[in-house]
Amino acid sequence: MRALLFAGQGSQRQGMGAEVLDAFPEHCALADDILGLSVRELCLHGGDRLRLTRYAQPALFTVHALTYLAGREEQGEPDVVAGHSLGEFNALMVAGVLDFAGGLRLVAERGRLMGEADGGAMAAVLGAGLTEVERALAASGREDVEVANDNSATQVVISGTAAGVSAVTALLTAGDPAIRCVPLPVSAAFHSREMAPAARRFAAVLAETPLAPPRLPVISNVTARPYPPGEPVAALLGRQIRSRVRWTETMEHLLDSGVDEVTEIGRGRTLTGFWREAAATRRTSAAPARATPTTAPAAPAAPAVQAAPAAPVATTASAAGLGSARFREVYRSRYAYVAGSMFQGIASTDLVVRMAGAGLFGFFGTGGLPLSGIRAALDDIGRRLPPGAPYGMNLLHDMTDSAGERATVDLFLRHGVRYVEAAAFTRVTAPLVLFRAKGAHRDPGGRPVAVNQVLAKVSRPEVARQFLAPPPPELLDRLRAEGALTAEEAAAAAVLPVASDLCVESDSGGHTDGGVALALLPTFVRLRDRAAAAEDGEPVRVGAAGGIGTPEAAAACFLLGADFVLTGSVNQCSPQAGTSDAVKDLLAGLDVQDVTYAPAGDLFELGSRVQVVRRGTLFPARANQLYELYRRHARLEDIDARTLATLERGCFGRPLAEVWDRTARHYRDTGRPEVVHDAERDPKRRMALVFKWYFAESSRAALTGAKENSANFQVHCGPAMGAFNRLVEGTELESWRRRDVDAIADLLMTGAAEVLAAAR
C-alpha cells in the first residue's frame, strides 16, 4: 500500500521546477493569470520573493502539482495522500477535491492572509518529542506558546510570541543538553492561536469555493485521520491554518492502515525521514513481543480446505457440502453460492425472487438507480417473497454522493434488509457502519452478535484489513451522538468486524483491478486468519468472485480455501436478468477472448477502466477514442473538424451542441445546476460531460435493446461468460432462454463437487 506525501513551506528554493515547468505550458499560463505574475520566473529566479509566504506558497503548490502530474502515469495512483501544512492542498488536488486552478487560487489567498500576519516566532525543537515539549510548556507557565507541528518522535515545532518562544526554548535546552532549538526564519506564529483572524477570513473564502468529496483517503493535518465521508472538506480545512500539524500521528495512522511505501514530492525528502523514523519506532516497540515466546502470536493456521465428497459421482447433496456450513446457515441457502449484483438492476427483482424460490441467495443490483427505483424494487420483492425470505441488496459506494449512500442505508433499514453486498468501497464509511451496527447486541453469554450481514467485495489487502477490523471509533461515536445508534448497538459493534463476509474479487466484468484469483484468494484467507478483530465473535468468511463460469473454476476456489463463491457475468445471460434480449443474444455467442477493457463512464476523468464485451459492438474502440481526445485536448473546440464530425455521426448520432444541451438539462432537472455552471466556466469539464453522455447513452441502449444503436452497446462482462458458453455448447442450456439463474447455480456447484471427487 503506497502513500503519496507532499512537503510544505520551507522546501522552496530558487530554481525549483526547472524539470517540469516547461512540460506544462497550459498549466503555467493558467497560473500566470491567477497570480498576475510569471510563475516560471518566480520559481526559477524569484530570489528573495521566495522567502515571503505570499509568493512561496503558490510557487510550491504549482511545482508540486506539476511534479505529481509528470509522474502520475508511471507511478500510478496512490492508495492514500497526505501533505504537510501547505502540502495538504496538493494532496486534496490528487484526491479530486479541487482542480489545479481551484487549488492555486486557494493557496494564493492562504499565502496572502498568512503573509499579512505580523509578529510572533517559531522554533524547531530537535531531539525531543511531543511529551517532553508539552511538559516544558506547562512548566514555563507561558500561555502565548503552543505546539505548531508534531513532526516526529524527535522533532517538534513551537509557535507563539517572540518572548514566549525564547523562554520555552531556553527552558528546553537547559533541561537537556542533547536538545537543540533552531529559530525558524518566519514573520508570524503559524499554526497557533495567533493565526485565528487569518483562519476566519480563509474559512469565508472556503465557504464560497466548490470542494468535491475526496475520491481517495486524504489525511487531515488537524485530525491525523482521513477527511470523514459525508462531511464538508471546508470544515476541517478552515481550521488548518491555526491548528497543530499532527504529522507523527499521521505517520502512525498510515502504518496502522497498512502503508508500506511512501513517495514524497518536495525537496530534501524530509517527510520520508519522518516516515522512516515512525516505522523504525514501530518496529522497535514491537520487537520485544515478537522475541518473547510466551507473547508471540501463534502462527496462522493453514487454510481449511473442504474435504472432497466420498461419492465418485456428484449429487446435489454433495454439492451442498462444499464451502462453509455456517455461510449456508446464515444466508439460508442450500449452496455456499451467491448470485452477485449487477449495475442498474441487471441483477433484477426477478433474479432475486427466482433464487430465493430455489433455496438460493441473490443480491439485487442497485448501482446507478435513483432512490425511487431502489424503493420500488424493495416493494416488489416484499410483495413477491414470503416474510423473512432471504435476499440481499447491493450498496455501491459513490465517493461523490455520501448523502445518497446514507439515504440508501436508511431505506434498507426501514424495509428490514438484513444482507448487503458492499462494492467499490476504498474505505469504511459511516452509512456502511450504521447498517452493520444497527441491532447489534450481546447475547446471554456476553458474545457480540450482529443482526445485519455485510458481504464486502474487495480486491486489495489494505481495503480488506478495514473490513476485517471493527469500525473506526470516531464513526461509531458520531452515529451514536446523532441518535442513529444506541449505546448498546455501538458497544457491541465496536468489537465486531465491519464485514461478516469478504468476497475476493479477481478479474471480472465491469470495474476490476484485474487481479488473479490464485494470488488473491490465499492471501486474503491468511489476512482473515491473522485478524484479531473477530476474536469475540464469528470469524469472517472469505469467498471468491471473478472468472467463475465453469465447475472447474468453482472447484479451484473451494480448493484454495473459499467459504463460498459468487457469480456475476454468467447470470446476465439468463431469463431473469434485467437487460435486453438483444444483449442476451450477444452474450450467448461470446467466447473467452471476446471481452476487453474500456474507460469507465462514472470515473472517466480519472482514466479508470471496465471490462466489457468487444464482439459485435464498437463501444470499446469509441470509448477509448473519446478518452484519448479528452486526455490530449483542453476543450472541444481544439479537436479538428473532421474528428468532431466523425464523433457526431458515430458515437453521438447528433450535433455535440445538442448533446451539451441535453446534458445541461439533465443536471438542472435533477437539482444539480452547479455542475452546469462549473462546466460552462471550465471547457475541459464541459468536454468531459459531453463525452460521458456517450457512456450513459450506450448503457441505456444496451439495457433497452435499441437495435438501431447496437453498434454502441456498452455491456460489462468478463471472460467467465465465454467459458460458460463453451461449457453448455450442445446442451439444453445453450439457449439463454433455458438458463435460469438457479439452473446455472446447480450446474456449477454439482459440477464442482464432481471435479473435486474425481481429484481424490
Side-chain angles (χ1 to χ4, degrees):
M1 185 174 179
R2 184 172 73 94
L4 182 60
L5 310 179
F6 287 92
Q9 190 172 346
S11 61
Q12 70 269 22
R13 61 180 176 86
Q14 183 168 289
M16 64 181 181
E19 64 279 10
V20 294
L21 289 167
D22 290 341
F24 294 89
E26 294 178 359
H27 288 74
C28 289
L30 185 59
D32 292 351
D33 290 341
I34 292 171
L35 301 178
L37 52 81
S38 169
V39 72
R40 189 179 189 279
E41 182 67 20
L42 175 63
C43 293
L44 300 184
H45 310 291
D48 289 341
R49 285 194 299 175
L50 288 175
R51 298 179 184 175
L52 302 176
T53 296
R54 65 178 302 176
Y55 294 112
Q57 291 197 14
L60 277 169
F61 176 85
T62 299
V63 170
H64 290 172
L66 300 186
T67 302
Y68 160 72
L69 293 174
R72 177 174 56 182
E73 185 170 340
E74 178 181 349
Q75 295 180 354
E77 181 147 300
D79 299 290
V80 59
V81 283
H84 193 284
S85 190
L86 166 68
E88 188 167 336
F89 288 80
N90 287 109
L92 291 167
M93 186 199 81
V94 172
V97 173
L98 38 80
D99 59 13
F100 172 78
L104 184 57
R105 290 188 183 96
L106 282 179
V107 166
E109 183 64 11
R110 180 182 191 265
R112 185 186 69 79
L113 292 172
M114 294 177 71
E116 287 179 354
D118 196 17
M122 300 179 73
V125 182
L126 309 179
L130 180 63
T131 301
E132 294 169 274
V133 172
E134 288 185 330
R135 189 181 298 123
L137 287 171
S140 72
R142 310 279 317 204
E143 296 184 356
D144 54 351
V145 184
E146 57 191 286
V147 172
N149 304 348
D150 175 19
N151 288 333
S152 76
T154 58
Q155 187 186 119
V156 175
V157 175
I158 57 175
S159 181
T161 65
V165 169
S166 177
V168 173
T169 56
L171 185 62
L172 281 163
T173 53
D176 188 344
I179 295 176
R180 293 191 300 121
C181 295
V182 181
L184 300 181
V186 296
S187 60
F190 300 147
H191 294 291
S192 76
R193 61 178 65 89
E194 300 298 321
M195 300 304 297
R200 285 194 295 270
R201 293 164 68 188
F202 189 60
V205 174
L206 286 170
E208 300 299 321
T209 304
L211 299 174
R215 59 177 174 80
L216 56 99
V218 182
I219 311 301
S220 164
N221 285 182
V222 176
T223 64
R225 291 294 183 272
Y227 278 84
E231 294 188 9
V233 170
L236 277 181
L237 194 57
R239 295 162 50 192
Q240 194 227 42
I241 292 177
R242 64 94 51 241
S243 298
R244 177 186 304 181
V245 177
R246 301 179 180 274
W247 199 253
T248 299
E249 293 171 67
T250 295
M251 296 299 96
E252 291 171 350
H253 178 76
L254 294 181
L255 287 165
D256 290 340
S257 301
V259 171
D260 53 12
E261 176 188 358
V262 300
T263 301
E264 178 179 352
I265 293 181
R267 179 189 174 208
R269 298 295 180 263
T270 301
L271 303 184
T272 303
F274 293 155
W275 160 260
R276 289 172 178 164
E277 185 176 349
T281 301
R282 176 70 58 89
R283 287 194 300 270
T284 301
S285 63
R290 290 199 300 268
T292 305
T294 56
T295 59
V305 179
Q306 173 66 40
V313 178
T315 65
T316 301
S318 59
L322 295 177
S324 164
R326 180 57 178 159
F327 180 90
R328 298 192 299 272
E329 178 186 354
V330 170
Y331 286 80
R332 287 179 279 169
S333 174
R334 55 190 173 89
Y335 296 147
Y337 176 102
V338 176
S341 68
M342 289 174 283
F343 196 63
Q344 291 187 327
I346 294 175
S348 64
T349 57
D350 287 344
L351 185 150
V352 167
V353 171
R354 176 81 185 206
M355 288 290 283
L360 298 168
F361 191 92
F363 285 104
F364 175 80
T366 65
L369 297 181
L371 198 64
S372 59
I374 301 173
R375 185 182 298 109
L378 285 167
D379 290 341
D380 185 40
I381 293 170
R383 285 191 299 268
R384 297 168 62 188
L385 286 181
Y391 71 92
M393 301 293 286
N394 170 248
L395 183 65
L396 184 66
H397 178 52
D398 183 348
M399 288 180 285
T400 67
D401 190 11
S402 57
E405 187 176 306
R406 176 61 181 269
T408 302
V409 166
D410 288 341
L411 181 64
F412 289 168
L413 294 175
R414 288 197 301 272
H415 279 76
V417 173
R418 291 291 175 258
Y419 305 87
V420 152
E421 179 201 68
F425 283 81
T426 57
R427 63 184 184 278
V428 171
T429 64
L432 186 61
V433 170
L434 171 61
F435 179 82
R436 175 63 164 161
K438 199 64 183 173
H441 60 278
R442 295 269 182 178
D443 66 14
R447 291 173 60 84
V449 176
V451 172
N452 296 336
Q453 311 298 310
V454 171
L455 187 151
K457 296 172 77 172
V458 293
S459 57
R460 300 174 69 101
E462 66 273 12
V463 178
R465 290 189 182 97
Q466 295 183 56
F467 281 104
L468 288 167
E474 60 270 20
L475 294 186
L476 287 173
D477 291 344
R478 190 201 317 164
L479 291 167
R480 182 182 173 187
E482 69 183 49
L485 292 176
T486 66
E488 180 188 12
E489 289 170 333
V495 292
L496 288 168
V498 174
S500 56
D501 304 87
L502 283 183
C503 185
V504 181
E505 191 170 31
S506 53
D507 191 31
S508 61
H511 284 283
T512 175
D513 281 340
V516 178
L518 292 174
L520 290 177
L521 185 53
T523 299
F524 282 60
V525 168
R526 287 189 173 90
L527 281 177
R528 184 273 311 277
D529 290 343
R530 291 171 181 165
E535 279 184 357
D536 294 333
E538 280 193 37
V540 174
R541 296 168 291 270
V542 177
I548 302 175
T550 62
E552 293 84 357
C557 293
F558 288 120
L559 193 61
L560 288 169
D563 291 316
F564 63 93
V565 294
L566 181 147
T567 56
S569 293
V570 295
N571 298 321
Q572 67 178 322
C573 194
S574 68
Q576 290 78 34
T579 191
S580 65
D581 287 359
V583 165
K584 295 172 188 177
D585 289 337
L586 179 64
L587 291 169
L590 296 187
D591 212 329
V592 291
Q593 75 275 16
D594 292 331
V595 293
T596 189
Y597 287 92
D602 55 341
L603 298 174
F604 176 78
E605 298 96 322
L606 305 180
S608 294
R609 298 172 74 77
V610 290
Q611 192 161 207
V612 297
V613 171
R614 69 176 175 184
R615 181 180 178 183
T617 172
L618 295 176
F619 169 77
R622 288 173 170 173
N624 280 303
Q625 179 191 23
L626 290 178
Y627 181 70
E628 284 305 308
L629 290 170
Y630 173 78
R631 192 174 63 84
R632 294 200 307 265
H633 298 287
R635 55 181 186 166
L636 285 168
E637 291 75 11
D638 292 339
I639 302 172
D640 65 274
R642 182 177 178 181
T643 300
L644 286 174
T646 301
L647 294 179
E648 290 179 337
R649 285 195 309 270
C651 290
F652 299 99
R654 52 183 47 82
L656 292 182
E658 182 182 336
V659 174
W660 170 242
D661 288 342
R662 292 187 178 206
T663 301
R665 186 165 59 250
H666 164 74
Y667 281 105
R668 291 190 181 104
D669 290 347
T670 54
R672 292 173 287 175
E674 71 281 357
V675 175
V676 180
H677 179 67
D678 291 344
E680 287 174 338
R681 294 187 303 170
D682 182 351
K684 185 85 169 180
R685 176 64 174 152
R686 180 172 175 266
M687 177 169 56
L689 292 179
V690 167
F691 286 176
K692 288 171 74 168
W693 180 92
Y694 172 71
F695 291 82
E697 188 64 22
S698 62
S699 288
R700 280 193 293 269
L703 286 169
T704 61
K707 291 187 177 181
E708 71 281 0
N709 201 17
S710 61
N712 291 312
F713 279 3
Q714 179 184 177
V715 183
H716 293 186
C717 186
M721 187 74 261
F724 188 84
N725 288 337
R726 300 290 69 80
L727 171 70
V728 299
E729 193 171 7
T731 74
E732 65 175 9
L733 295 189
E734 185 170 2
S735 168
W736 64 260
R737 288 172 173 81
R738 295 178 179 269
R739 297 182 189 180
D740 294 311
V741 285
D742 54 314
I744 294 172
D746 284 333
L747 177 62
L748 294 179
M749 292 297 288
T750 57
E754 183 176 355
V755 168
L756 292 173
R760 290 192 62 185

